[in-house]
Amino acid sequence: MSRSERSPLLLAGLLAAAGTAHFAVPRQFDAIVPRSLPGAPRTWTYVSGAAELALAAGIALPRTRKTAALAAAAFFVGVFPANVKMAVDWRHRPAPQKAAAMGRLPLQLPLVLWARSVAKSGEGTA
């Protein structure tokens, strides 16, 4: 299997793992839901997890890959405020935790670009 064939499956796996984590350990995700969002943080945690699982399934299937990958790119942009909140909230934690929280911020751009690349490579399959 070539790298270009693995890329969508790796992205789908990442999203599936993240989506599963939202249900397995929701409290850690509840803590980074921006307070400006209406409703309970747990609701946003579960909605986000379900979205990640749906995106993973869509990317895994060649027929829906392009649309799901574009939606994943938008999703990665949409969750950026939660990562900012985490970085702000963790600014007084020990250095390794603070570094992890800060490291999530620049990782969003490669995730967006990865999803867009998967969408582009899936153009002939839709």
Side-chain angles (χ1 to χ4, degrees), residues 39-101:
R42 181 63 51 93
T43 301
W44 288 101
T45 295
Y46 287 156
V47 167
S48 178
E52 286 173 318
L53 292 171
L55 291 168
I59 290 169
L61 298 170
R63 188 172 49 100
T64 56
R65 181 167 295 152
K66 178 181 176 183
T67 301
L70 289 173
F75 178 83
F76 292 139
V77 171
V79 299
F80 187 73
N83 292 336
V84 170
K85 182 180 184 310
M86 182 180 182
V88 169
D89 290 350
W90 286 28
R91 69 187 179 278
H92 300 298
R93 291 207 179 182
Q97 291 177 333
K98 185 164 62 170

Side-chain angles (χ1 to χ4, degrees), residues 11 59 69-70 72-73 76 110-120:
L11 181 59
I59 290 169
L70 289 173
F76 292 139
L111 288 172
V112 170
L113 295 175
W114 185 12
R116 289 185 60 201
S117 173
V118 166
K120 188 172 181 174

Side-chain angles (χ1 to χ4, degrees), residues 10-30:
L10 291 171
L11 181 59
L14 175 78
L15 284 160
T20 300
H22 280 71
F23 292 96
V25 285
R27 192 177 337 165
Q28 74 181 29
F29 296 98
D30 294 347

